[in-house]
Amino acid sequence: MAEKTINIKLKVWRQGGEFGGGKLVDYSLDDVGTDMSFLEMFDVLNEKLIAEKKTPVSFEHDCREGICGTCSMVINGQPHGPMKGTTTCQLHMRSFNDGDTIVVEPFRAKSFPVIRDLVVDRSSFDAIIQAGGYISVNTGQAQDANAIPVEKDVSDAAFDAATCIGCGACVAACPNSAAMLFTSAKVSHLSTLPQGKVESSKRVQAMVNQMDKEGFGMCSNIKACEAECPKEISVDNIALMNRQYLASVLGSDKQA
Amino acid sequence: MNWFIQFLTSSIGRKLIMSLTGLFLILFLPVHLVGNLQLLMNDGGEAFNVYADMMGHNAFIQFTAKGLYFFILLHAVQGVIIYMKNKNASGQKYAKSTNANATWASKNMIWLGLLLLIFIFIHMGDFWFAMKFQEWDQAELGREMIAYNIEGQSVELKNLYAKVNYSFTNPLIVGVYVLSMVGLMFHLLHGFASAFQTLGLNHKKYTPAIELLGKLYSIIIPLAFAIIPILHYAGVVGK
Amino acid sequence: MSDILKSNVPEGPLAEKWVNYRGTMPLVAPNNKRNIEIIVVGTGLAGASAAATLGELGYKVKCFTFHDSPRRAHSIAAQGGINAAKNYQNDGDSVYRLFYDTIKGGDYRSREANVHRLAEVSRDIIDQCAAQGVPFAREYGGLLANRSFGGVQVSRTFYARGQTGQQLLIGAYSALSRQISRGSVKMYNRHEMLDLVKIDGKARGIVTRNLLNGKIESHAGHCVVLATGGYGNVFYLSTNAMNSNVSAAWRAHKKGVFFANPCYTQIHPTCIPVSGEYQSKLTLMSESLRNDGRVWVPKKKEDCKKDPTTIPEEDRDYYLERIYPAFGNLVPRDVASRAAKYVTDEGRGVGATGLAVYLDFASAIERYGKSEANSKGMNNATPAQITEMGEAVVKAKYGNLFHMYEKIVDENPYKTPMKIFPAVHYTMGGVWVDYNLQTTVPGCFALGEANFSDHGANRLGASALMQGLADGYFVIPYTIGTFLANEIRTPQISSDSPEFKAAEAEVKARIKGVLDVNGNQSVESFHRRLGRIMWDYCGMSRNAEGLTKARQMIRELRAEFQSDVFVPGSNDEYNPELEKALRVADFLELGELMICDALDRNESCGGHYREEYNENGEALRRDDDYMYVAAWEYTQDNADWNLHKEELDYENIEVKTRSYK
């Protein structure tokens, strides 16, 4: 169980403070244990920088177990790095080789402005949810949970969409910076369940309109989002949202 | 009508336009191909020339053609608008970008589309414009008239067949056509299934069939189109 | 009992207390609600559900989180499930049974009336969440599925795969988002509470730092609700999120809010062991794994570094099954954790560090494989076929957990036993609150893990989510009225008052203080050292000598921090190191209080195990002397805290010794 170590070179996007409008800065780290997580490698780098009285790299992270959706790095051109279905915090250094140069950049999109280094502002996602990503039920209004049976397959399908962690990798991966996968996952989660179907027509219009307002791009069905999604959410949700949106705008009297 | 304009300028509305116009063009291609395949008949061009003349004078065809031109332009203009808007939505470029898991065609639809637009201008200038707006008295350019006996009457028609055959003796033109058809193939390889996805026509059971059909279509149709200039150039037909 | 600590538990029979109280408590009329501002700090299950519900009721709510979005709170990481006394399985569950199990699981150190109320509203929570679109697991008939969890005999846990916390939090987040869009809640993301402001003895607001630009801001309201989570990160390594911290609660504590039972920490037995010095956090593997996994270590020390699959059956010590034949591998968390500590202390731990035990699925795989072979009529199935079928069954049950383990450890747990070790997971202690969830400062309330109220000395699985949502959806919306009904004539509170200005100045001075040290050691290094002290002396087992020593060590560490910490950058920018420095400074104070509490409690109960108080290695509770809640009052820096005791009366439950043998 002797741990393997590797030497790596990093090119990290630094922005703000002394780095102004931003540039890639070179760092090198030796004897990086391969059992280290990618973010722990950054911890080590930052400790090194602090010891040299330099400004550590700002990056966002919280749960470090792949569920909170806070971490956001594009590693060698891939949001959350090379491992499929994995967030940055769950990526380990064993995915890299001795002597590798690793390029680390923030999630890039107009609607995700960079705050500092690798930290971006994703509040546009909150705005999309606020536009309609909920079921309008006040506390206390609910009937017994078993009063509305939900077919297991339907419930599972809703779950598959609901598993979205709101990290924004879909937007970061999309050459068009579209937020269709994020938005459609919520539309799909809620409209698939009988509880959420009631207001699905209005919801889909409101959420799509907000998504457009936030300045995200349009979907060209490139499917890079699906490939990079750490929760492997399917682009089938996008088709579902398109269908519901068209039906709602053209086929109902609803207007959001 | 405010809602309608809002709809047409929404992200999904714009994509709907791309999808519907694209599907229309997908329907048009086989129709066009069936006519063109007459260029491969060994009848000295009679069937093709009669067909071409009919196309030029039939009221329904003329009406549909106007729609076709409109849809081509709409598809192109909308495509350019979407491209610009998407460019505007995306932030700074990545220093290192892989998009490892996306197909090449899906990321280059705009360029493939512009290639096809240029091709359409060349193609129409060469044949459609000449057919419609030029006098045909220059045999050396392939522009000559030819007389046929149709239902007992002698009719003089423009010999488009000869014109086509003449054009396809130029390797440059043949090259442009073949290259454009390769472009068309890639454009369709992404566009065909994509149109259905945009319309939300997605189904666990049927989508694989649509995708397969799309692949077959995207290869067979451009290939069949590309065969015509190649065979004419090679002299297999038309000599 | 201290006369400051009024539990305000209503009179009447236990089962009717809440219903009667709810029906007679003072209310705030809708027209008055519109003029009353409530500050909610934190957007986890408790905070988000409280903010959303209070917004629905018509109050003007201001909600704060230090995250970039309310959806990131660490409630999201809860895996297993949420308990509710629905009795959908017809297995004899009831409100009383859930109440009883929770009190017993908490080792008889929680307040009866609070726990009973929790059990009552547990049913409403499931209804509410299902209506919000939480995709709970379902049976083929379309009705809700349940599973069982450690320490109970019924199936009452509702779950959404291994992501129950995520789904519940997204439910609360969407309810909150709805209120934000309606304007009844104003959301402040990336704002960290750095102080509580009192005016005339009542909590009237908070001082925050805008984490984007360092701006110190005052926010005023008629009352303040703290839903700021637990303090497990005082141990540095824990299953908590990296940014989870005690600062909001600690600042309130320094303004007069009592801190109760800080020594009660839950050490969860099934976490992925530490792999190296750089380790930043620990990952939990759901307790549900103990349903099928068998815990063991080698009998002989010399076998510890061997490939476990080569160690023959007779050389393995399935110690939980050996010591606790009645409950076996399913003993409660505190018991399982302590047993793991004993065997590793004996030198029989496995893995590179010797700080791990095996969780082995081989016999479950074989058992399931044989059962599959039987049901398929394969009488002559080869061992390989049996293993293959058994692995498929195990994969269906725990696939996502096995996948996560493999991602982190890079070993295949189907073939090699998992290595696990206990890790800090939850803190039962917290801000002292009365029955109304009000702290000792009028107008300041505390919900969820931030308060101490419902779990006693040990929390049972799947009850943290229950408590957070109970407090937020179904308790605080009522009980806050007991305070606010007297505030309807209070005009809007201004944040320009001298009290706010003084608090702002104090916060600015504190920030300047840490920045100006300009020493040589990173915040991280102090945090790591604090965690080491806490784990070694105030962790799974404690003794007076060690605790006394640790208290001194912490004081020294704190002094060193104040003289040699280095925080790069300035206040006026996005500066995560500064955020961390302020949090670690508070942990350095909290650590000492935890030790004081652990020293005071001369007994072993639940998550608090004092080596001096055991009976043949089992925890020895001393009900005669310690059946109280220890609520600590802050006096001044580097001085002793004042202890106030809230005696616990058990009128409805017979207090027994927990036995799992």
Side-chain angles (χ1 to χ4, degrees):
Chain A
M1 283 276 299
E3 204 201 343
K4 224 185 109 189
T5 62
I6 55 175
N7 300 336
I8 53 165
K9 290 196 175 1
L10 290 163
K11 284 181 180 294
V12 181
W13 183 262
R14 305 294 311 259
Q15 183 173 339
E18 67 207 84
F19 300 99
K23 60 174 179 181
L24 285 172
V25 177
D26 292 337
Y27 299 100
S28 59
L29 272 184
D30 292 346
D31 301 322
V32 176
T34 51
D35 283 342
M36 239 184 235
S37 76
F38 197 79
L39 295 185
E40 283 165 353
M41 181 271 288
F42 261 86
D43 291 342
V44 172
L45 171 67
N46 276 350
E47 284 297 289
K48 195 176 139 190
L49 290 173
I50 291 169
E52 296 163 6
K53 302 246 167 174
K54 289 181 182 155
T55 315
V57 182
S58 290
F59 63 95
E60 278 197 297
H61 62 101
D62 197 29
C63 78
R64 296 207 179 185
E65 48 188 284
I67 195 76
C68 72
T70 308
C71 56
S72 53
M73 293 181 180
V74 174
I75 301 162
N76 283 339
Q78 285 185 278
H80 295 304
M83 206 170 198
K84 203 172 156 46
T86 305
T87 54
T88 301
C89 63
Q90 295 256 285
L91 180 70
H92 285 71
M93 294 312 292
R94 63 181 80 95
S95 294
F96 299 91
N97 298 314
D98 193 43
D100 276 2
T101 298
I102 307 170
V103 182
V104 186
E105 298 171 81
F107 281 6
R108 292 211 185 275
K110 269 267 169 63
S111 308
F112 286 175
V114 174
I115 290 170
R116 187 93 187 227
D117 299 343
L118 302 170
V119 179
V120 298
D121 179 3
R122 286 167 285 187
S123 44
S124 43
F125 270 15
D126 282 335
I128 293 174
I129 297 296
Q130 284 158 16
Y134 47 75
I135 292 173
S136 299
V137 52
N138 282 355
T139 304
Q141 287 180 326
Q143 71 279 68
D144 186 88
N146 262 348
I148 304 175
V150 183
E151 198 188 332
K152 189 175 186 307
D153 293 347
V154 171
S155 174
D156 286 348
F159 191 102
D160 288 339
T163 190
C164 168
I165 57 175
C167 65
C170 45
V171 175
C174 179
N176 305 340
S177 298
M180 291 286 277
L181 193 65
F182 170 77
T183 311
S184 68
K186 189 44 65 187
V187 163
S188 169
H189 159 213
L190 294 176
S191 69
T192 302
L193 293 168
Q195 288 88 346
K197 214 165 238 157
V198 182
E199 52 188 326
S200 61
S201 183
K202 197 158 165 254
R203 175 187 306 123
V204 69
Q205 286 196 41
M207 291 183 71
V208 169
N209 291 348
Q210 189 66 39
M211 177 184 84
D212 290 352
K213 211 187 280 176
E214 296 296 328
F216 289 103
M218 286 171 248
C219 177
S220 312
N221 305 317
I222 294 167
K223 302 182 185 174
C225 52
E226 180 184 76
E228 301 298 348
C229 174
K231 296 292 151 186
E232 304 185 64
I233 290 172
S234 164
V235 292
D236 290 353
N237 293 303
I238 296 181
L240 181 142
M241 179 164 82
N242 289 340
R243 189 161 70 231
Q244 287 192 358
Y245 180 78
L246 296 174
S248 174
V249 175
L250 301 174
S252 81
D253 54 9
K254 298 281 184 325
Q255 198 180 331
Chain B
M1 280 312 268
N2 187 22
W3 68 269
F4 193 67
I5 291 165
Q6 192 194 342
F7 164 65
L8 288 182
T9 53
S10 73
S11 58
I12 296 179
R14 286 189 190 279
K15 292 298 300 177
L16 175 78
I17 292 170
M18 284 311 276
S19 164
L20 291 178
T21 50
L23 285 174
F24 180 83
L25 298 178
I26 281 171
L27 284 176
F28 157 74
L29 285 180
V31 176
H32 189 43
L33 178 66
V34 168
N36 285 11
L37 284 178
Q38 295 174 86
L39 285 165
L40 300 183
M41 285 168 74
N42 253 331
D43 62 351
E46 179 170 354
F48 181 75
N49 282 334
V50 171
Y51 159 79
D53 185 65
M54 184 273 289
M55 296 296 279
H57 294 97
N58 181 302
F60 173 73
I61 298 289
Q62 284 303 302
F63 175 76
T64 318
K66 301 285 186 304
L68 175 68
Y69 306 148
F70 175 71
F71 285 140
I72 289 175
L73 282 177
L74 185 57
H75 192 80
V77 169
Q78 189 73 274
V80 170
I81 292 175
I82 287 176
Y83 172 76
M84 310 268 273
K85 281 187 172 290
N86 283 343
K87 266 274 125 320
N88 193 39
S90 55
Q92 193 170 354
K93 270 192 153 215
Y94 289 110
K96 183 162 181 176
S97 173
T98 56
N99 268 312
N101 299 296
T103 61
W104 177 82
S106 69
K107 289 180 283 176
N108 291 286
M109 288 300 272
I110 180 72
W111 309 118
L112 292 166
L114 288 177
L115 170 74
L116 292 174
L117 189 66
I118 293 167
F119 167 74
I120 289 169
F121 278 120
I122 295 173
H123 177 58
M124 287 183 75
D126 214 3
F127 301 130
W128 173 82
F129 183 78
M131 191 73 176
K132 205 140 178 157
F133 299 109
Q134 285 179 331
E135 291 296 315
W136 285 46
D137 48 8
Q138 294 164 286
E140 74 279 9
L141 293 176
R143 286 193 217 139
E144 60 193 37
M145 304 299 282
I146 189 165
Y148 291 113
N149 189 338
I150 298 170
E151 290 169 8
Q153 283 190 309
S154 174
V155 186
E156 197 171 51
L157 302 177
K158 289 178 176 172
N159 190 353
L160 185 60
Y161 181 87
K163 163 77 176 144
V164 169
N165 184 261
Y166 173 78
S167 289
F168 289 160
T169 55
N170 183 341
L172 192 69
I173 293 183
V174 173
V176 167
Y177 272 67
V178 172
L179 177 75
S180 299
M181 286 309 104
V182 172
L184 177 63
M185 178 185 76
F186 279 110
H187 201 72
L188 286 168
L189 274 174
H190 179 69
F192 192 100
S194 185
F196 287 87
Q197 167 85 359
T198 298
L199 289 174
L201 297 176
N202 170 291
H203 193 279
K204 280 226 152 33
K205 287 179 186 163
Y206 305 126
T207 297
I210 291 174
E211 282 172 356
L212 180 68
L213 181 70
K215 280 197 183 109
L216 292 175
Y217 180 99
S218 312
I219 293 165
I220 291 170
I221 299 281
L223 188 69
F225 274 119
I227 277 175
I228 298 168
I230 292 171
L231 291 185
H232 275 265
Y233 180 71
V236 178
V237 288
K239 280 279 144 78
Chain C
M1 181 182 297
S2 158
D3 23 315
I4 304 174
L5 297 181
K6 286 204 195 74
S7 66
N8 290 321
V9 172
E11 296 300 315
L14 182 69
E16 292 166 24
K17 279 182 201 286
W18 176 237
V19 177
N20 291 342
Y21 186 55
R22 220 173 45 178
T24 55
M25 65 172 42
L27 294 177
V28 179
N31 57 323
N32 288 325
K33 283 191 180 121
R34 282 196 290 274
N35 301 321
I36 288 182
E37 291 185 293
I38 299 175
I39 287 174
V40 177
V41 188
T43 59
L45 284 182
S49 58
T53 307
L54 293 168
E56 286 163 11
L57 288 173
Y59 292 109
K60 274 160 76 176
V61 179
K62 294 191 241 182
C63 190
F64 295 82
T65 175
F66 61 75
H67 285 107
D68 69 319
S69 160
R71 68 180 297 154
R72 312 265 186 237
H74 197 54
S75 304
I76 208 158
Q79 297 172 356
I82 175 166
N83 288 330
K86 280 285 197 184
N87 194 29
Y88 280 160
Q89 305 307 320
N90 195 31
D91 55 1
D93 198 10
S94 65
V95 168
Y96 183 83
R97 196 179 290 277
L98 174 54
F99 156 74
Y100 177 86
D101 287 342
T102 307
I103 293 270
K104 179 189 171 197
D107 220 357
Y108 305 94
R109 288 293 176 268
S110 42
R111 197 188 284 147
E112 266 192 345
N114 284 55
V115 176
H116 197 276
R117 175 177 64 190
L118 173 67
E120 285 172 64
V121 301
S122 69
R123 298 170 301 187
D124 301 330
I125 296 170
I126 301 303
D127 298 342
Q128 183 62 28
C129 294
Q132 283 173 345
V134 171
F136 284 122
R138 289 182 183 265
E139 310 283 1
Y140 280 101
L143 303 179
L144 292 165
N146 289 114
R147 61 183 171 202
S148 66
F149 248 68
V152 297
Q153 290 157 309
V154 292
S155 280
R156 63 159 75 98
T157 304
F158 295 79
Y159 61 100
R161 295 191 197 157
Q163 290 153 254
T164 318
Q166 183 203 19
Q167 294 307 316
L168 294 175
L169 183 65
I170 286 174
Y173 162 71
S174 58
L176 175 63
S177 296
R178 175 165 160 251
Q179 294 310 312
I180 295 170
S181 72
R182 293 171 59 175
S184 52
V185 176
K186 178 149 176 44
M187 190 67 225
Y188 294 84
N189 294 334
R190 296 190 193 271
H191 278 68
E192 181 155 19
M193 169 179 161
L194 291 182
D195 213 348
L196 178 75
V197 179
K198 283 198 308 189
I199 299 176
D200 298 333
K202 292 176 182 170
R204 293 301 195 190
I206 58 174
V207 174
T208 61
R209 178 170 180 269
N210 181 333
L211 301 184
L212 290 177
N213 54 24
K215 245 184 104 193
I216 304 301
E217 301 164 359
S218 285
H219 299 275
H222 288 77
C223 64
V224 175
V225 177
L226 301 178
T228 51
Y231 48 87
N233 268 350
V234 69
F235 290 88
Y236 185 72
L237 286 181
S238 79
T239 65
N240 283 7
M242 299 299 289
N243 297 307
S244 299
N245 66 81
V246 76
S247 288
W250 195 252
R251 290 292 131 192
H253 173 57
K254 293 184 92 166
K255 285 287 168 82
V257 165
F258 289 6
F259 214 96
N261 298 335
C263 78
Y264 291 158
T265 30
Q266 176 159 83
I267 316 270
H268 197 293
T270 50
C271 297
I272 299 177
V274 176
S275 66
E277 269 304 301
Y278 45 77
Q279 189 99 19
S280 60
K281 84 149 262 158
L282 297 168
T283 304
L284 177 79
M285 300 304 288
S286 170
E287 179 163 309
S288 59
L289 288 174
R290 282 195 284 144
N291 279 308
D292 281 311
R294 298 176 73 195
V295 178
W296 65 275
V297 289
K299 281 183 180 164
K300 294 181 260 175
K301 283 182 195 175
E302 56 271 27
D303 284 350
C304 289
K305 299 284 170 207
K306 280 188 189 164
D307 175 0
T309 53
T310 63
I311 300 174
E313 203 61 25
E314 63 270 20
D315 287 340
R316 300 175 175 194
D317 178 13
Y318 295 92
Y319 59 89
L320 286 177
E321 297 170 23
R322 174 170 59 81
I323 308 170
Y324 307 101
F327 276 71
N329 294 299
L330 278 172
V331 289
R333 292 176 178 176
D334 51 343
V335 178
S337 294
R338 219 150 32 233
K341 178 180 160 51
Y342 289 151
V343 293
T344 50
D345 283 352
E346 286 166 21
R348 294 194 285 141
V350 298
T353 57
L355 289 176
V357 300
Y358 290 124
L359 181 63
D360 197 335
F361 291 85
S363 40
I365 287 170
E366 194 185 332
R367 177 161 45 88
Y368 286 127
K370 279 185 179 158
S371 139
E372 282 289 288
N374 266 338
S375 65
K376 287 181 181 159
M378 296 164 63
N379 295 327
N380 300 318
T382 62
Q385 283 173 316
I386 288 175
T387 306
E388 192 186 326
M389 287 185 287
E391 283 179 4
V393 176
V394 168
K395 186 172 184 182
K397 292 181 94 162
Y398 310 112
N400 63 333
L401 295 169
F402 276 49
H403 184 64
M404 183 159 83
Y405 180 86
E406 196 168 351
K407 241 190 247 176
I408 295 173
V409 182
D410 200 26
E411 278 180 2
N412 179 352
Y414 294 98
K415 304 292 179 201
T416 313
M418 275 186 189
K419 287 192 283 287
I420 54 160
F421 200 64
V424 175
H425 180 55
Y426 186 89
T427 50
M428 282 73 69
V431 171
W432 185 89
V433 290
D434 67 4
Y435 189 72
N436 295 324
L437 304 182
Q438 187 164 224
T439 67
T440 43
V441 171
C444 179
F445 296 79
L447 320 180
E449 191 179 352
N451 74 27
F452 87 104
S453 73
D454 295 350
H455 305 298
N458 176 53
R459 181 177 65 76
L460 286 183
S463 59
L465 302 182
M466 171 171 69
Q467 187 222 339
L469 289 180
D471 287 359
Y473 282 134
F474 295 108
V475 179
I476 193 71
Y478 294 97
T479 59
I480 205 164
T482 58
F483 174 78
L484 291 176
N486 297 318
E487 296 290 333
I488 53 173
R489 283 173 201 85
T490 311
Q492 195 176 4
I493 312 284
S494 161
S495 60
D496 293 329
S497 65
E499 288 87 348
F500 278 97
K501 294 296 152 211
E504 276 187 31
E506 193 275 323
V507 165
K508 284 177 186 160
R510 189 148 49 91
I511 291 170
K512 190 169 181 304
V514 288
L515 286 170
D516 283 354
V517 176
N518 203 13
N520 291 307
Q521 300 180 59
S522 70
V523 176
E524 198 77 9
S525 65
F526 282 104
H527 194 184
R528 226 181 268 264
R529 283 162 69 190
L530 169 67
R532 190 78 228 181
I533 298 170
M534 295 304 292
W535 179 251
D536 287 347
Y537 300 102
C538 196
M540 269 189 285
S541 79
R542 301 133 182 208
N543 60 56
E545 192 194 337
L547 288 165
T548 313
K549 183 173 155 202
R551 184 171 183 185
Q552 191 52 36
M553 289 168 80
I554 286 183
R555 286 186 160 208
E556 284 163 17
L557 188 64
R558 201 162 60 215
E560 196 179 329
F561 178 89
Q562 284 156 1
S563 64
D564 198 33
V565 72
F566 171 65
V567 181
S570 72
N571 176 56
D572 309 322
E573 58 182 331
Y574 182 80
N575 190 346
E577 282 298 312
L578 174 61
E579 295 165 27
K580 207 157 55 177
L582 297 170
R583 294 169 190 165
V584 170
D586 289 337
F587 277 135
L588 282 163
E589 297 179 6
L590 166 80
E592 187 180 347
L593 177 61
M594 289 172 72
I595 286 167
C596 290
D597 188 43
L599 265 172
D600 168 73
R601 195 163 282 280
N602 289 312
E603 64 164 347
S604 296
C605 65
H608 170 65
Y609 184 80
R610 280 282 297 273
E611 288 158 14
E612 303 94 318
Y613 305 98
N614 75 83
E615 208 165 29
N616 307 321
E618 294 300 315
L620 178 67
R621 230 174 45 219
R622 296 174 61 203
D623 292 338
D624 292 344
D625 297 327
Y626 290 97
M627 199 133 79
Y628 61 75
V629 174
W632 299 89
E633 179 188 12
Y634 172 81
T635 54
Q636 65 185 67
D637 282 345
N638 295 315
D640 285 342
W641 281 263
N642 288 339
L643 172 62
H644 300 263
K645 297 177 183 177
E646 179 198 344
E647 302 293 339
L648 293 167
D649 301 317
Y650 291 95
E651 296 167 1
N652 301 279
I653 232 172
E654 188 197 346
V655 179
K656 289 191 259 189
T657 302
R658 286 196 309 168
S659 171
Y660 296 95
K661 287 199 174 176

